[in-house]
Amino acid sequence: DTGVSQDPRHKITKRGQNVTFRCDPISEHNRLYWYRQTLGQGPEFLTYFQNEAQLEKSRLLSDRFSAERPKGSFSTLEIQRTEQGDSAMYLCASRVPGSSYNEQFFGPGTRLTVL
Amino acid sequence: AQSVTQPDIHITVSEGASLELRCNYSYGATPYLFWYVQSPGQGLQLLLKYFSGDTLVQGIKGFEAEFKRSQSSFNLRKPSVHWSDAAEYFCAVTNNNDMRFGAGTRLTVKP
């Protein structure tokens, strides 16, 4: 499968624990995006990378959220000291360089439940 | 700032009937516009996209959308709905960086 993959697909954790999600973009896609989607809402942009550089992070929800893409390939999103309000679907997307439409290809998401 | 409004939270249509899902956007320049579909528990699948050219664009699964600059709209249509079209539909706009989504329209298809 050559699409965007995310791991794990589901994560249940207790409040206060740290969680980390992984995203593997489509090969050679240099841009990678993270979104959060809460129930009944559209995805909400969090951050994005071009290669290993994080070009926008002001929209991360709080300082408990951080993302990395150390080698310009896969990316991780970490949430520290999770809260019940962090329960959501976390989506990753990637984009081919030079695309005239700027379309993004989405992974299946990681569903986080904070108890 | 760019934004997207989908006025209809939930629409129910009978199988075989026509469908139109509304989308209005607010954007200062020529927008890149998209429609995505999401089945329960799944990621988003691109149905169609528009940036320039013919204002009527064709997508996958028999969907089409029409860009109307004067109305700031990008409505999605399908002439005959199938039961498998039941899903959540999202309109989105991007400026080359982040993508802004509407709140979505949930489509129910009656037999």
Side-chain angles (χ1 to χ4, degrees):
Chain A
D1 185 274
T2 57
V4 178
S5 62
Q6 293 187 244
D7 184 69
R9 294 291 306 277
H10 303 274
K11 177 71 176 178
I12 300 174
T13 190
K14 293 183 179 179
R15 188 177 54 184
Q17 298 294 305
N18 299 341
V19 295
T20 300
F21 309 139
R22 175 177 170 128
C23 171
D24 287 87
I26 294 172
S27 179
E28 298 179 356
H29 280 196
N30 67 341
R31 286 207 177 177
L32 185 149
Y33 302 79
W34 284 100
Y35 293 83
R36 182 182 77 159
Q37 185 179 21
T38 53
L39 201 61
Q41 298 297 316
E44 175 187 13
F45 170 78
L46 297 178
T47 187
Y48 85 99
F49 295 83
Q50 179 158 305
N51 299 314
E52 64 274 12
Q54 190 173 12
L55 299 186
E56 173 61 68
K57 56 183 178 181
S58 65
R59 305 266 291 280
L60 285 167
L61 301 164
S62 77
D63 59 7
R64 297 185 297 106
F65 287 71
S66 63
E68 293 183 341
R69 194 183 184 196
K71 298 182 180 180
S73 56
F74 73 91
S75 175
T76 58
L77 177 70
E78 181 181 17
I79 308 174
Q80 296 182 327
R81 304 181 303 281
T82 53
E83 302 173 357
Q84 288 185 324
D86 297 332
S87 295
M89 175 81 89
Y90 291 85
L91 295 165
C92 174
S94 67
R95 205 189 96 185
V96 63
S99 165
S100 58
Y101 285 90
N102 296 329
E103 64 197 89
Q104 297 178 19
F105 295 86
F106 283 81
T110 294
R111 180 165 295 284
L112 172 66
T113 301
V114 182
L115 302 176
Chain B
Q2 54 183 343
S3 65
V4 178
T5 302
Q6 293 180 247
D8 304 305
I9 296 173
H10 183 205
I11 285 182
T12 299
V13 299
S14 298
E15 190 169 16
S18 63
L19 171 70
E20 182 169 27
L21 302 182
R22 295 184 291 164
C23 172
N24 294 97
Y25 66 90
S26 173
Y27 191 61
T30 302
Y32 298 86
L33 292 160
F34 306 85
W35 274 98
Y36 285 88
V37 62
Q38 185 178 38
S39 297
Q42 302 299 311
L44 282 77
Q45 181 183 23
L46 180 67
L47 286 175
L48 47 77
K49 59 198 176 189
Y50 173 80
F51 173 56
S52 63
D54 192 345
T55 56
L56 183 63
V57 293
Q58 303 297 318
I60 63 171
K61 304 184 178 185
F63 286 93
E64 66 178 27
E66 186 171 13
F67 172 66
K68 293 185 177 180
R69 185 186 300 276
S70 61
Q71 298 178 21
S72 297
S73 69
F74 188 57
N75 294 348
L76 181 72
R77 300 195 294 249
K78 186 169 184 178
S80 178
V81 169
H82 187 263
W83 65 266
S84 61
D85 293 324
E88 189 92 18
Y89 291 80
F90 293 96
C91 182
V93 60
T94 187
N95 66 351
N96 192 37
N97 295 325
D98 66 285
M99 188 172 280
R100 301 287 178 109
F101 287 83
T105 297
R106 183 161 60 93
L107 174 65
T108 298
V109 181
K110 293 190 301 185

